[in-house]
Amino acid sequence: MKRLKQHVYKQRVRVKDFIMDFDKLNSGYVFPNHFLSALSMAGIDKYLSPKELEVICENYKVQRDATLVMVDHRTFLHELELVFTVPHLEKDPLVEVAPEPADLLDKTRYLKSSRVLEPQEREEAVLAVISRLGDVCYKRGQPVKAFFDDAARDDHSAKLFGHVTLPQFRQVLTTKLDWVVSDPEISLLAAKFRHEDKPEFINYIAFSCTVDPPERYWNDQ
């Protein structure tokens, strides 16, 4: 459900609109196959696997009578739409409402990568690459973010804030910065800093902050 909430919040998907197409009488219940069809129509099946959708469906099934099993979509939608609003807000209009659900979005996504690669050997390998490139940044005194900013402003760039494509990422590292980085090392970095929902994009701001943290210079003063 947390992953579903992340997708619904980021994409602003109104799942209710799709489910209500199968509940014309507003009973609060739909058949399990209709529930899964509604999620598919909402595009959720592109983000969650069929098995994961089945798990969600099973969780909200109720026995309506001896032979009839249906999905309680009101309870499902109530929990899902908590990402958009605070229930009963009209009864306490002065309650403090967070600007965004903190448990769904990584507040440090532009400062570092919280992703840990599997198996452990890959994580250790990418950390070794980051450490080596960080030393290069420090010795050259050459902040790297500006080079990525130029690539992101290119007319042919996808214009996803803070991100560049993998070819752009590789070009900045090997051509613009003239670093010696192998293709396997670039693949490791890409896996570490890729966008959560769009893996073809690399979070260059998080990468830049990791290999070229400003405090490294201040600590020597």
Side-chain angles (χ1 to χ4, degrees):
M1 282 298 293
K2 181 176 180 180
R3 293 184 56 215
L4 176 58
K5 289 178 182 179
Q6 286 177 325
H7 175 71
V8 166
Y9 180 79
K10 292 178 182 178
Q11 304 300 323
R12 292 297 192 269
V13 179
R14 287 275 299 173
V15 177
K16 180 178 180 179
D17 295 341
F18 296 93
I19 290 181
M20 292 309 296
D21 284 343
F22 295 100
D23 186 15
K24 299 299 185 182
L25 299 179
N26 196 26
S27 67
Y29 302 92
V30 293
F31 292 106
N33 61 319
H34 288 168
F35 179 78
L36 293 173
S37 294
L39 295 185
S40 178
M41 291 166 59
I44 305 299
D45 59 343
K46 298 177 182 177
Y47 185 71
L48 298 180
S49 69
K51 183 177 181 180
E52 290 171 326
L53 294 179
E54 283 287 352
V55 169
I56 293 175
C57 183
E58 286 292 330
N59 189 64
Y60 292 96
K61 281 183 179 179
V62 292
Q63 194 81 35
R64 296 282 285 161
D65 60 36
T67 60
L68 182 62
V69 175
M70 300 189 77
V71 176
D72 178 0
H73 71 71
R74 281 183 182 166
T75 301
F76 165 76
L77 290 173
H78 173 75
E79 181 176 348
L80 182 62
E81 295 188 350
L82 288 177
V83 299
F84 294 117
T85 185
V86 176
H88 311 302
L89 189 60
E90 69 280 359
K91 297 180 181 179
D92 190 4
L94 298 181
V95 67
E96 186 174 338
V97 180
E100 59 186 24
D103 59 325
L104 299 183
L105 296 177
D106 182 4
K107 294 288 188 179
T108 65
R109 60 189 179 277
Y110 289 115
L111 297 176
K112 62 182 181 65
S113 172
S114 57
R115 183 179 297 110
V116 177
L117 301 186
E118 297 289 345
Q120 183 179 351
E121 289 76 12
R122 291 187 74 216
E123 177 69 11
E124 292 174 351
V126 75
L127 292 180
V129 174
I130 291 171
S131 177
R132 176 168 62 82
L133 297 182
D135 287 339
V136 173
C137 284
Y138 181 72
K139 292 174 181 177
R140 292 186 181 182
Q142 181 185 48
V144 302
K145 180 177 176 294
F147 292 90
F148 289 106
D149 286 337
D150 288 342
R153 284 192 292 263
D154 185 272
D155 290 339
H156 300 292
S157 178
K159 301 297 189 295
L160 179 63
F161 176 78
H163 293 74
V164 292
T165 63
L166 179 55
Q168 288 176 316
F169 185 71
R170 177 184 288 105
Q171 182 183 38
V172 170
L173 293 182
T174 60
T175 303
K176 303 297 183 181
L177 291 169
D178 194 26
W179 286 355
V180 179
V181 190
S182 68
D183 284 342
E185 290 175 333
I186 291 177
S187 295
L188 283 172
L189 293 171
K192 182 73 171 175
F193 293 96
R194 64 175 173 77
H195 190 280
E196 181 179 357
D197 300 323
K198 301 177 180 178
E200 66 272 24
F201 291 101
I202 312 302
N203 184 342
Y204 73 80
I205 296 182
F207 170 75
S208 300
C209 288
T210 303
V211 300
D212 188 34
E215 62 269 16
R216 295 183 63 174
Y217 297 100
W218 295 106
N219 289 340
D220 287 346
Q221 300 302 315

